[in-house]
Amino acid sequence: MIIDVVTIFPGMFDSPFAESIILRAREKGQFQLRVHDLRDYCHDRHRVVDDYPYGGGAGMVMRPEPAFRALQDLRDSSFSGEVLLPTPAGEPFTQVLAEKLSTLEQLVIFCPHYEGLDERVSTLVDREISLGDYVLTGGELPAMVMIDAVVRLLPGVLGSAESLDEESFSPLLEYPHYTRPAEFAGLKVPEVLLSGHHARINDWRRLQALKRTFERRPDLLAQAELTAQEEDLLVQWRQHDNKLDEV
Ligand code: JCH
């Protein structure tokens, strides 16, 4: 996969992709990151990227001309993929969207700044995407989050140790994890995990995941495919004043 980023802060993209799994993926050629400085597409001496908003109001707007040149340049005859625009007004970024994007040959991410981008640039954009309902200062951090989420899904990027097998089938929150020592600061690892009894361990993990999801993200349960036994646990949990420990 080729990922092109257009930004006025190209230096922001240096360190996040120079470590760990993502660095390894770059070195193995599983993806190529190309960062373009939007100011290189300015034709004026002072390389100005912003201007006052028509209609007035606070803040500045990104000028359309450099953005158009950059995106027309990247959308050349060999372009095969999507142009993404991070914005708080976009469709939500989800794991399902990350999976869809990970099947494409190329992604172009345009990072707006200031109050946003001249609306006419959206004619060269395939998707406007929001990373969540909070306001950031620009599109760079959303771009980095999307790149990280997509690249780890590319074939061969995760080793067998970090594999994707377990995560895809369950929309529930993760069960709690423990490693050595078995007792630390007076806190014990749950007995069942030391038992070597894999069926019981799987049941315990599933129950913990259900509990956490009930307590923290009840909205996710609507999409979850639960077994009859799990549905039953859910009903009992509701009858016990939302406390699963008593079930
Ligand atoms: C961005 C801004 C609109 C402030 C400028 C470019 C994306 N999920 C998510 N949160 N924030 C962003 C994002 C992405 C690109 C830009 N800003 C600042 C934009 C505003 O309207 C309320 C306010 C924010």
Side-chain angles (χ1 to χ4, degrees):
M1 172 181 272
I2 295 176
I3 303 180
D4 289 289
V5 171
V6 183
T7 172
I8 53 173
F9 300 115
M12 282 181 76
F13 289 82
D14 291 343
S15 67
F17 307 111
E19 311 272 358
S20 182
I21 293 169
I22 307 294
L23 174 63
R24 202 176 60 203
R26 282 177 93 169
E27 288 173 343
K28 285 200 279 183
Q30 286 155 332
F31 90 107
Q32 195 187 337
L33 181 65
R34 306 191 298 202
V35 181
H36 309 270
D37 188 339
L38 180 66
R39 291 189 199 275
D40 291 343
Y41 292 92
C42 292
H43 287 174
D44 58 305
R45 175 196 288 273
H46 297 290
R47 312 216 299 169
V48 176
V49 293
D50 61 331
D51 203 345
Y52 296 95
Y54 272 124
M60 301 295 276
V61 176
M62 262 183 163
R63 299 171 51 215
E65 301 96 317
F68 253 78
R69 283 186 207 108
L71 293 179
Q72 273 169 341
D73 199 15
L74 291 166
R75 277 186 171 279
D76 62 4
S77 53
S78 70
F79 179 69
S80 160
E82 291 196 17
V83 175
L84 313 179
L85 182 75
T87 157
E91 69 175 290
F93 188 68
T94 61
Q95 190 64 24
V96 167
L97 182 51
E99 282 163 15
K100 191 184 305 184
L101 297 176
S102 73
T103 66
L104 302 175
E105 293 292 318
Q106 187 176 2
L107 295 178
V108 172
I109 310 178
F110 186 94
C111 304
H113 250 270
Y114 313 109
E115 296 307 297
L117 182 60
D118 186 288
E119 184 64 24
R120 290 167 288 188
V121 179
S122 68
T123 56
L124 295 177
V125 168
D126 297 297
R127 266 178 216 278
E128 301 190 13
I129 301 176
S130 166
L131 266 287
D133 293 336
Y134 38 77
V135 180
L136 302 169
T137 58
E140 282 78 10
L141 288 168
M144 293 178 211
V145 171
M146 293 192 287
I147 293 167
D148 189 87
V150 167
V151 167
R152 68 184 285 283
L153 296 174
L154 298 176
V157 167
L158 294 190
S160 50
E162 313 114 349
S163 94
L164 298 166
D165 299 346
E166 283 197 25
E167 69 181 41
S168 52
F169 73 88
S170 175
L172 299 181
L173 299 186
E174 275 237 80
Y175 54 78
H177 301 276
Y178 294 88
T179 186
R180 292 185 291 181
E183 182 172 346
F184 170 72
L187 302 168
K188 289 189 168 126
V189 172
E191 203 66 48
V192 60
L193 297 178
L194 310 177
S195 71
H197 196 307
H198 292 293
R200 279 181 51 210
I201 290 172
N202 282 340
D203 286 349
W204 180 87
R205 285 178 169 167
R206 185 77 179 163
L207 180 61
Q208 296 299 316
L210 273 170
K211 265 174 83 164
R212 279 191 162 182
T213 313
F214 292 155
E215 286 166 2
R216 302 179 187 180
R217 293 292 306 278
D219 57 301
L220 290 179
L221 282 172
Q223 314 157 36
E225 283 178 31
L226 303 182
T227 65
Q229 193 190 359
E230 287 163 347
E231 293 283 2
D232 192 48
L233 271 172
L234 175 55
V235 170
Q236 290 187 55
W237 174 77
R238 290 198 172 120
Q239 288 166 353
H240 283 83
D241 203 19
N242 294 359
K243 290 193 181 64
L244 252 186
D245 290 331
E246 296 169 20
V247 174

